[in-house]
Amino acid sequence: MKILILGGDGYLGWPTAMFFSNRGYDVTVVDNYFRRNACTELDVGMLYPVPTLVERAKIWHELTGNEIKVVIGDLTDPEVMRSLFTGIVEYSWALDRGFAGIPETVIHYAEQPSAPYSMINYKYANITIKNNLLVTNNLMFALRDFSRDTHVIHIGTMGEYGTPNIDIEEGWLEIEHKGRKDKFLFPRQASSLYHTTKVMDTDLMWFGVRMWGLGITDLMQGPVYGMETKDSVIDKQLRTLFNYDEIFGTILNRFIVQAVVDYPLTVYGKGGQTRGYLNINDTLQCIHMAEKTPAQKGELRIFNQIMETFSANDLADKVQRVGKKMGYDVKINHIENPRKEAEEHYYNPTYQGLIEIGVEPNYLTDEVLAGMLQVAEEYKSNIRKDVIFKGIKW
Ligand SMILES: NC(=O)c1ccc[n+]([C@@H]2O[C@H](COP(=O)([O-])OP(=O)(O)OC[C@H]3O[C@@H](n4cnc5c(N)ncnc54)[C@H](O)[C@@H]3O)[C@@H](O)[C@H]2O)c1
């Protein structure tokens, strides 16, 4: 089975590449280092240095004998995207530079993934809109023109739904209106421009499904935590990139690092903001199960990809409790909320679909938190307090 991973250098992309490579798939990854370049430009913090994508593919090959083919290219360029399906692709590293063949599955991660980044100012909002929509649209047209049988797995976000005062269904809602019924995409009301691009991605993909009969799974994912996966434990150089700053660090990842350097955990406002979360190992499981049971042609299948829900206060309390047991002086600081969001609200999403196709959740236990604190401790001397909170306002 051939798998193409768009955004293969990223926080989720690289662990996904190792996961499938270890299981006998023929894996190609594509990336243009957007994320790393943005981190350099904005001077944000990564917990430890990470070898380049080509270097990582070589280390992976030396340690496991498995090959991950690498393409360095910008997927907003339609010719780069199309080359991955026509065979005129330029590999930056591969044992055999011959065309890997049309992929059975494309995993699409290649987007600007940060809400605060998209809200810095009009420039970063435009970069986000342009980057995310062009990559998705280029993918839709490449599939239309060269491979309508390829299954796409896209990572959407639970943030597409916002925090409505009704239960959140898995993507779709049946509506009865004036005595007639129909099924529509669940109402979306994103709370950042980044999340708005994800809503638009879903619309572009739904268009591709209706017009060209494509088969797409859109996984509405919550914030992910963790840095180590079962495939990365063989060598520290294989650990995925890990941000702890306000722009690219997701909440729990940030809190873990803050705890280690006695930086009070920054809870925005009242801290009642409730979201669904998942362990990075569960992202891999979900993608694997979605790949094994593909969407039908002409189907946009949507799952809510979360394993449990917590408020910001719940997360802060957990990190404080486990941190204290390990000897850290963890304080919690409720600061003025830089975002426009409800700080107390109803939140009841459905998330059964992935369990039904075989995913077995890894929950956020004290042991998991302690493991993350231990890794952060290893790199304590790298941690820069000045990048943890900058206060990007909505
Ligand atoms: N990490 C999370 O908690 C989370 C939660 C919900 C949804 N998601 C979604 O999952 C996906 C992956 O997230 P992530 O955390 O791994 O982000 P990431 O930034 O680490 O990974 C995205 C990768 O795509 C690459 N990329 C971006 N634009 C590109 C382009 N034009 N051409 C080639 N490569 C490009 C980046 O360089 C990066 O390596 C994103 O779509 C994100 O919106 C992530």
Side-chain angles (χ1 to χ4, degrees):
M1 290 289 275
K2 290 173 282 298
I3 292 217
L4 176 64
I5 302 174
L6 311 179
D9 188 50
Y11 174 62
L12 300 176
W14 175 247
T16 306
M18 291 189 289
F19 180 93
F20 282 104
S21 175
N22 242 351
R23 284 158 185 79
Y25 290 75
D26 186 343
V27 179
T28 300
V29 292
V30 190
D31 210 289
N32 66 343
Y33 296 128
F34 177 100
R35 166 71 172 261
R36 294 182 192 238
N37 292 339
C39 288
T40 308
E41 180 192 344
L42 297 169
D43 188 29
V44 302
M46 284 216 197
L47 189 57
Y48 39 79
V50 173
T52 66
L53 189 50
V54 168
E55 285 165 349
R56 291 201 276 185
K58 287 184 185 162
I59 296 167
W60 178 248
H61 177 246
E62 277 159 24
L63 293 175
T64 66
N66 295 325
E67 176 194 36
I68 294 175
K69 289 182 161 58
V70 178
V71 178
I72 301 299
D74 182 354
L75 294 160
T76 63
D77 177 345
E79 299 313 326
V80 172
M81 181 70 81
R82 296 169 82 79
S83 74
L84 302 163
F85 296 88
T86 57
I88 53 166
V89 54
E90 280 184 38
Y91 294 103
S92 296
W93 185 79
L95 293 174
D96 163 13
R97 302 221 171 187
F99 181 42
I102 290 198
E104 279 89 5
T105 307
V106 175
I107 302 171
H108 172 15
Y109 290 126
E111 303 195 57
Q112 188 300 98
S114 158
Y117 178 101
S118 73
M119 300 300 289
I120 297 175
N121 60 29
Y122 72 91
K123 180 183 145 194
Y124 293 98
N126 281 351
I127 292 172
T128 305
I129 292 168
K130 190 174 145 201
N131 188 70
N132 294 2
L133 297 185
L134 285 182
V135 174
T136 302
N137 199 44
N138 285 342
L139 176 62
M140 292 301 101
F141 271 86
L143 295 173
R144 182 193 87 149
D145 296 341
F146 306 117
S147 181
R148 295 188 185 197
D149 292 337
T150 292
H151 176 219
V152 174
I153 303 174
H154 173 256
I155 300 285
T157 155
M158 289 297 290
E160 292 183 38
Y161 303 121
T163 51
N165 200 29
I166 59 171
D167 291 358
I168 298 173
E169 302 304 328
E170 299 208 65
W172 299 94
L173 187 66
E174 195 170 274
I175 292 183
E176 193 174 337
H177 180 64
K178 296 187 178 169
R180 302 178 71 82
K181 276 190 193 160
D182 206 343
K183 205 171 100 179
F184 295 93
L185 284 167
F186 192 90
R188 279 96 32 89
Q189 37 191 1
S191 60
S192 79
L193 279 162
Y194 151 68
H195 290 101
T196 303
T197 65
K198 304 295 273 191
V199 170
M200 293 169 169
D201 276 341
T202 302
D203 283 331
L204 287 175
M205 293 187 296
W206 179 214
F207 185 81
V209 165
R210 293 198 314 276
M211 295 303 126
W212 308 317
L214 306 180
I216 301 183
T217 301
D218 202 2
L219 298 171
M220 299 300 171
Q221 187 176 244
V224 181
Y225 57 84
M227 63 276 270
E228 198 79 277
T229 66
K230 296 185 178 102
D231 308 290
S232 70
V233 286
I234 55 172
D235 193 309
K236 286 179 186 175
Q237 294 181 93
L238 297 173
R239 276 184 186 153
T240 194
L241 50 81
F242 186 93
N243 280 86
Y244 58 87
D245 58 285
E246 175 191 357
I247 298 179
F248 287 112
T250 46
I251 179 167
L252 185 58
N253 288 355
R254 267 188 284 140
F255 282 179
I256 292 288
V257 170
Q258 289 176 233
V260 166
V261 289
D262 301 342
Y263 188 111
L265 309 185
T266 38
V267 174
Y268 297 166
K270 293 181 187 157
Q273 301 90 323
T274 304
R275 305 285 184 266
Y277 293 87
L278 76 163
N279 187 304
I280 191 165
N281 287 289
D282 285 347
T283 295
L284 303 180
Q285 265 200 77
C286 293
I287 297 275
H288 192 206
M289 290 304 163
E291 182 272 335
K292 286 209 294 199
T293 59
Q296 303 298 307
K297 278 171 70 69
E299 180 190 11
L300 174 63
R301 179 177 63 159
I302 302 180
F303 292 125
N304 293 341
Q305 186 163 302
I306 58 177
M307 297 302 147
E308 50 197 330
T309 61
F310 299 110
S311 68
N313 286 330
D314 294 335
L315 291 178
D317 290 345
K318 277 177 179 287
V319 173
Q320 183 176 51
R321 189 171 42 76
V322 177
K324 279 195 167 164
K325 269 198 233 160
M326 293 172 68
Y328 298 110
D329 179 22
V330 188
K331 297 196 177 65
I332 297 175
N333 188 12
H334 286 260
I335 58 173
E336 191 191 331
N337 193 343
R339 305 181 174 200
K340 276 222 164 91
E341 61 184 1
E343 292 170 9
E344 288 169 318
H345 56 88
Y346 180 76
Y347 199 64
N348 191 24
T350 307
Y351 46 100
Q352 270 310 305
L354 286 162
I355 310 283
E356 280 162 17
I357 62 168
V359 171
E360 292 172 10
N362 286 290
Y363 294 112
L364 182 59
T365 58
D366 288 4
E367 202 187 349
V368 168
L369 286 165
M372 289 177 70
L373 285 160
Q374 270 158 13
V375 177
E377 175 68 36
E378 267 181 61
Y379 300 98
K380 191 171 180 173
S381 59
N382 292 351
I383 298 170
R384 286 175 51 197
K385 289 187 177 179
D386 63 306
V387 303
I388 289 174
F389 181 73
K390 293 187 181 175
I392 294 166
K393 282 209 157 45
W394 260 224

